[in-house]
Amino acid sequence: MAQTAAGGLSDDIITQLLLARGVAREDLSRHRTPTLRAFLPDPSEFRDMELAAMRIADAIERREAITIYGDYDVDGATSAALLIRLIRMLGHDARHYIPDRLLEGYGPTGEALVRLGAEGAQLIVTVDCGAMAHEALAMAADAGVEVIVVDHHKCSAELPQALALVNPNRLDESDIGAAHGHLAAVGVAFLLGVALVRVLRGRGWFAGRAEPDLFALLDLVALGTVADVAALHGLNRALVAQGLKVMARRENIGMAALIDASRLNRAPTATDLGFALGPRVNAGGRVGEATLGVRLLTTQDAEEAREIAAQLSRLNEERRAIEMAVQEAAELQVERQGNRTVMVLSGKGWHPGVIGIVAGRIKEKTGKPTLVIALDDDGVGKGSGRSISGVDLGAAIIGARELGYLVAGGGHAMAAGLTVAADRLEAFADWLDDRLAGDVSRAQGAQSLLLDLAVAPRGLQPELVELLESAGPYGMGWPGPRVAVGPVRVVKADVVGADHLRMIVRGEDGASFKAMAFRSAQTEMGQTLIHGDHGRKLWLAGRARIDDWGPRRAAELHVDDAAWAD
């Protein structure tokens, strides 16, 4: 295998992986090792980018009070932290404001913007929110508060009243800008940073000053992009690939503390960002103090960073317990949903901080777009939704809002949020079912288990895993290679943790390996693998990973599906 990894066959495997992910043959070299030089667009191609950069440059030169108004999730925290750290690099400073999820809800409120202006903020920059905040931004404008919006969520045809609105998903965006609609808000903020430095360079700001190292901020971009489940192709893939390299250097004190709190004893991977680091930052906004994430990622005090990271880890454990209770209640409703195309689940007392996670879990189990809505005592529901590939949930939510089914709502293709009156919930669910029935049917009809490689059990080696990982980073829109391994027989199968299936399997070539099927013990596949005929041969399909826990490095398989070999 070492010889294969060094020779022409390894190049052929990577080539096939890239081609299978839609890369044109003549563009293979650019995608084989994604760099910013190869993928970064000219920021001035985006509408309002130059206007926003010039106004922030003015504020820095004039020493004006700047407030960065961020969302309470990872994308919002990393976007806010990026701009704050950059402004510090430029010799100025900025405050942050993160709304409380329960008391204020998603996005900027007019009251908060006006209050920040009254407290002295001469310029407010909203990040990861604001694209649909028409009323709030109108209130700010009436009060003379200048606001720049930096966002990536779906926009309506009528834009809110802002000094500048930088968003690749504006309906009037240029062709180049619109081609980058898959960016997370932190990616848009990074492009704004590039434009800002260029404006200040043109004004002679760096005469006698060192220019900031924008690449040093890419660890924030990587974390926000992966945690927001943005599609990892094109520019996003380059941002995450380079950001992981920056993260490995541990130059950001808060990021290093977060890595340590996540018990990682190696450089983080893209998977770690989504399943270890991201959930901890999210926990502050979900069940704790909303400002913890941005405070951690901007602190310059190592002891403060350790304390915040530890607090976020504790909150993450609390979040898991709350999430489990809400998920159990929501799953009881799934059985009563009948033939609905879109799962719309609601309940009183459900914690709004975990409904997005629960929606994602149920979407994975049912294969249908899912909305989970927490109802309060006043008859108002706050909901969060997750979609399946090929179904634009954000556009549907905006459509429902425009037709009066919702009080508020917005999002992007794969995720959305909403506010709905309880007495409109059934009518909204019916409308949504009709609106998305065709899209869901087509998306489900197109679903199939695509395989990149089939190997014998002895071929599942760490060297193969490392070779496959070299075509990453992988994530939404750039799926990790799915490997079929077999034929094998189950030697041992048991349940570990929260509904996870663990197996030891052995092939006819005498090689054995560990396989894990997460959250699958109670599924039909899981029950078959536990209680079925262990003498019968089967094929397993899933993601090949490195198992670092044993005395020696070994390859294991994270199973997506299984099929009998005879």
Side-chain angles (χ1 to χ4, degrees):
M1 181 61 65
Q3 183 178 0
T4 299
L9 181 56
S10 66
D11 291 339
D12 186 62
I13 290 176
I14 300 302
T15 296
Q16 295 305 316
L17 288 175
L18 296 176
L19 291 173
R21 281 147 187 76
V23 177
R25 188 171 291 277
E26 60 272 18
D27 206 20
L28 284 171
S29 60
R30 187 167 71 116
H31 288 267
R32 192 177 293 275
T33 306
T35 65
L36 288 189
R37 181 183 296 275
F39 286 94
L40 195 69
D42 182 344
S44 64
E45 295 285 351
F46 292 74
R47 293 205 182 273
D48 283 4
M49 183 72 81
E50 287 299 306
L51 178 60
M54 288 189 290
R55 180 62 188 91
I56 298 173
D58 291 342
I60 291 172
E61 289 182 326
R62 299 169 189 165
R63 312 292 296 179
E64 292 178 347
I66 304 172
T67 296
I68 310 299
Y69 192 119
D71 187 24
Y72 37 65
D73 69 358
V74 184
D75 195 15
T78 52
S79 300
L82 185 147
L83 290 182
I84 290 169
R85 293 178 72 90
L86 175 57
I87 291 169
R88 285 179 185 168
M89 292 176 181
L90 294 169
H92 193 37
D93 206 352
R95 295 176 56 199
H96 65 262
Y97 185 89
I98 309 294
D100 184 278
R101 180 189 291 266
L102 300 181
L103 300 178
E104 298 175 86
Y106 169 76
T109 63
E111 294 78 8
L113 294 175
V114 171
R115 183 175 68 253
L116 289 171
E119 292 173 353
Q122 294 164 281
L123 177 64
I124 299 174
V125 183
T126 73
V127 289
D128 197 30
C129 58
M132 295 292 291
H134 295 79
E135 294 180 5
L137 291 171
M139 283 183 61
D142 290 343
V145 179
E146 290 190 303
V147 181
I148 292 171
V149 174
V150 179
D151 204 352
H152 70 130
H153 292 100
K154 296 280 185 180
C155 295
S156 58
E158 179 185 356
L159 296 175
Q161 193 174 351
L163 178 68
L165 195 154
V166 184
N167 185 337
N169 288 304
R170 288 175 54 154
L171 297 182
D172 62 345
E173 185 54 89
S174 69
D175 290 343
I176 292 178
H180 291 87
H182 62 296
L183 287 172
V186 69
V188 182
F190 180 78
L191 291 179
L192 176 58
V194 174
L196 173 60
V197 169
R198 186 167 61 186
V199 167
L200 288 171
R201 185 187 303 123
R203 295 182 182 183
W205 179 257
F206 299 113
R209 294 185 179 95
E211 288 199 17
D213 178 10
L214 289 169
F215 274 55
L217 302 171
L218 288 175
D219 56 347
L220 296 169
V221 182
L223 177 57
T225 298
V226 173
D228 212 53
V229 201
L232 290 192
H233 56 74
L235 177 56
N236 274 350
R237 186 162 164 260
L239 290 168
V240 173
Q242 300 306 315
L244 288 170
K245 296 177 183 178
V246 174
M247 197 175 292
R249 300 203 299 260
R250 298 172 60 92
E251 294 171 351
N252 182 321
I253 291 172
M255 192 74 77
L258 183 63
I259 294 169
D260 291 340
S262 301
R263 301 187 184 93
L264 294 176
N265 54 10
R266 50 170 171 71
T269 65
T271 300
D272 296 324
L273 305 191
F275 290 95
L277 276 62
R280 284 172 166 78
V281 176
N282 255 336
R286 293 187 186 280
V287 298
E289 182 185 339
T291 63
L292 288 174
V294 70
R295 284 172 51 202
L296 173 67
L297 297 173
T298 57
T299 185
Q300 300 175 73
D301 184 319
E303 183 56 35
E304 181 185 27
R306 283 191 291 271
E307 291 175 0
I308 295 175
Q311 185 177 357
L312 286 172
S313 287
R314 290 193 296 271
L315 288 170
N316 195 43
E317 292 300 319
E318 180 182 337
R319 185 269 305 167
R320 286 176 177 168
I322 296 171
E323 173 196 327
M324 185 176 298
V326 173
Q327 183 169 339
E328 289 176 355
E331 286 183 346
L332 291 176
Q333 293 186 21
V334 171
E335 301 172 3
R336 301 194 295 268
Q337 287 281 309
N339 294 320
R340 278 208 179 275
T341 299
V342 180
M343 297 284 103
V344 180
L345 314 169
S346 62
K348 283 190 175 182
W350 291 1
H351 197 298
V354 302
I355 54 178
I357 302 173
V358 173
R361 296 270 193 249
I362 294 177
K363 181 261 294 188
E364 291 297 328
K365 284 194 171 185
T366 63
K368 298 179 179 181
T370 300
L371 287 161
V372 178
I373 300 169
L375 300 171
D376 64 22
D377 293 334
D378 297 324
V380 176
K382 296 291 181 69
S384 187
R386 298 294 183 267
S387 194
I388 61 176
S389 181
V391 179
D392 192 335
L393 185 60
I397 295 300
I398 291 174
R401 173 184 175 175
E402 292 174 344
L403 290 173
Y405 289 102
L406 302 176
V407 176
H412 48 79
M414 299 300 291
L418 59 87
T419 302
V420 61
D423 59 7
R424 296 287 285 163
L425 190 53
E426 187 172 351
F428 162 65
D430 290 341
W431 177 88
L432 192 64
D433 236 37
D434 291 339
R435 164 72 181 259
L436 294 178
D439 291 343
V440 172
S441 178
R442 285 187 290 273
Q444 291 178 333
Q447 288 180 350
S448 59
L449 196 68
L450 301 178
L451 301 175
D452 292 285
L453 189 67
V455 298
R458 194 172 297 280
L460 188 66
Q461 298 289 335
E463 293 84 357
L464 175 65
V465 179
E466 291 166 354
L467 173 61
L468 296 176
E469 288 299 313
S470 69
Y474 299 105
M476 177 63 65
W478 193 265
R482 186 175 282 118
V483 180
V485 188
V488 296
R489 289 184 174 88
V490 176
V491 175
K492 179 182 178 182
D494 58 1
V495 180
V496 295
D499 195 36
H500 307 316
L501 172 61
R502 177 178 59 188
M503 295 176 288
I504 300 296
V505 300
R506 179 176 293 116
E508 295 180 316
D509 58 5
S512 60
F513 60 88
K514 184 171 79 173
M516 295 288 300
F518 295 100
R519 292 186 294 276
S520 298
Q522 301 306 316
T523 65
E524 180 181 357
M525 178 189 75
Q527 289 297 299
T528 300
L529 290 172
I530 294 172
H531 302 296
D533 181 2
H534 287 182
R536 192 175 177 185
K537 293 182 290 185
L538 51 81
W539 283 85
L540 300 177
R543 181 88 180 268
R545 305 301 299 272
I546 297 291
D547 179 10
D548 290 317
W549 292 101
R552 62 182 182 84
R553 293 172 75 249
E556 65 180 27
L557 192 70
H558 291 184
V559 177
D560 296 322
D561 205 353
W564 297 117
D566 50 20

